[in-house]
Amino acid sequence: MRMLINVPETVVADGLRGMAAAHPELVVDPENRLVVRRDAPVPGKVALVSGGGSGHEPLHAGFVGPGMLSAACPGEIFTSPVPDQMVRAAAAVDSGAGVLFVVKNYTGDVLNFEMAAELAEDEGIQVARVVVDDDVAVADSTFTAGRRGTGATLFVEKIAGALADEGAPLERVESVARRVNESSRSFGVALSSVTTPAKGSPIFDLPSGEMELGIGIHGEPGRERRPMMTSGEIADFAVHAVLEDLRPSGPVLVLVNGMGATPLLELYGFTAEVRRVLSERGVSVARTLVGNYVTSLDMAGCSVTLCQVDEEMLRLWDSPVETPALRWGR
């Protein structure tokens, strides 16, 4: 095993200590596993809290800041955070306007955020929850009942976060978050397996010259395994899978997301192929984002997420954001 770590047991805490050193605009608590906007709670503002297993960075901690999340709760590698983390986060950021939990559809995350919402409400905090379930690859998988939550999480957190920063009430922020999720679909592919620090070796076998279509961000199996395809062939397969389900009638946001080990040069080349397929299908593209945003440690591969946007959603997407991983307009 060749990893830039000390020991597997301290990987998450060590990463959070480094994040604290690099980002003084955040309050990072490695012991309690919390990342919070330093200016929280913001008076009169709905707070957004999200979280999930570590290993998907920059999701979620890298999206904490003006225009996106108020706080994030990192769990252990590929493991849900616990309800106590979520309640602490809600209490740290609640201004009295309420808290929106953004939850990826993985069984542990859903159950723990549900329990946290009940506990937070017992403490007088108004909580709403939105579950992200955008992955079209499979109906159910190892970690989920229903579709997995993947790249659309970024769209939900950015667009709902922008609306919250404008001072909208909790009901409206929750509504737009649900609208974004319902308007988004994703499909991912793996060119290699993923290695967790605890295991120290690939968690599944992917023979040389083969690839997995429809992979999950924890290495869950997808639709099928095939011999390696060209970038254009992969784009054809992935985009068609998304469009068969989404069937957009207006412009879309495009996220071409790296799984952690695919060079940006390859991601940009793949983006060109994605745009080609969308053009051939008559789909108008409003904005395109390319990079590593919802990753799976050292997995090689990528995912495509499309979100059909209306004027309000596009305006909120373009609104200023200032987080460690996403920033523009400020």
Side-chain angles (χ1 to χ4, degrees):
M1 179 174 68
R2 289 180 290 184
M3 292 183 174
L4 200 61
I5 66 173
N6 292 316
V7 293
E9 293 76 14
T10 67
V11 166
V12 176
D14 291 345
L16 290 173
R17 289 192 298 107
M19 189 172 201
H23 297 285
E25 72 276 15
L26 302 176
V27 176
V28 182
D29 183 345
E31 181 179 351
N32 291 307
R33 302 290 200 268
L34 293 179
V35 179
V36 180
R37 282 177 58 162
R38 188 166 292 279
D39 61 352
V42 179
K45 173 187 155 358
V46 169
L48 268 68
V49 174
S50 193
S54 295
H56 306 305
E57 289 73 23
L59 190 81
H60 296 272
F63 299 144
V64 174
M68 285 193 81
L69 296 177
S70 304
C73 310
E76 293 299 325
I77 299 293
F78 292 178
T79 303
S80 171
V82 298
D84 284 351
Q85 287 175 262
M86 303 160 189
V87 175
R88 286 194 188 98
V93 299
D94 179 41
S95 69
V99 176
L100 178 66
F101 284 163
V102 179
V103 189
K104 300 191 306 302
N105 188 36
Y106 297 96
T107 302
D109 290 11
V110 171
L111 293 175
N112 286 350
F113 270 102
E114 183 177 358
M115 186 181 301
E118 295 174 357
L119 294 170
E121 286 170 347
D122 288 343
E123 296 185 8
I125 301 171
Q126 184 183 6
V127 177
R129 292 184 304 124
V130 171
V131 176
V132 182
D133 56 354
D134 54 304
D135 183 13
V136 303
V138 291
D140 300 284
S141 87
T142 313
F143 286 73
T144 63
R147 290 178 167 176
R148 303 177 288 219
T150 58
T153 312
L154 185 155
F155 290 153
V156 171
E157 292 176 355
K158 170 63 184 78
I159 292 172
L163 186 60
D165 269 20
E166 292 181 354
L170 180 59
E171 295 78 9
R172 188 157 169 246
V173 176
E174 177 189 6
S175 176
V176 80
R178 292 189 186 281
R179 197 161 87 240
V180 173
N181 177 62
E182 291 164 1
S183 302
S184 301
R185 302 290 189 277
S186 296
F187 191 91
V189 299
L191 310 182
S192 74
S193 182
V194 55
T195 302
T196 61
K199 191 172 188 295
S201 59
I203 65 173
F204 65 90
D205 178 50
L206 187 57
S208 176
E210 294 189 0
M211 61 180 298
E212 188 85 22
L213 293 165
I215 197 75
I217 58 174
H218 306 98
E220 311 100 309
R223 288 188 178 183
E224 60 180 289
R225 187 169 290 186
R226 286 190 180 184
M228 188 61 201
M229 300 156 65
T230 67
S231 177
E233 291 168 340
I234 296 170
D236 284 328
F237 192 101
V239 175
H240 287 162
V242 170
L243 293 179
E244 283 175 7
D245 199 286
L246 182 61
R247 300 186 183 279
S249 58
V252 298
L253 299 177
V254 178
L255 170 63
V256 173
N257 170 69
M259 291 294 189
T262 300
L264 196 54
L265 179 63
E266 294 179 28
L267 292 178
Y268 277 124
F270 182 67
T271 301
E273 297 296 342
V274 168
R275 292 293 297 266
R276 171 188 59 78
V277 179
L278 291 172
S279 177
E280 290 171 354
R281 293 288 295 268
V283 178
S284 172
V285 175
R287 304 285 186 274
T288 303
L289 181 66
V290 182
N292 289 286
Y293 295 103
V294 184
T295 64
S296 185
L297 289 171
D298 63 342
M299 181 187 287
C302 63
S303 62
V304 178
T305 304
L306 303 181
C307 175
Q308 180 174 313
V309 289
D310 55 31
E311 288 185 8
E312 181 187 37
M313 289 160 62
L314 187 57
R315 176 183 65 79
L316 293 169
W317 175 257
D318 287 339
S319 293
V321 59
E322 188 172 352
T323 71
L326 206 67
R327 55 180 62 211
W328 57 67
R330 293 180 70 90

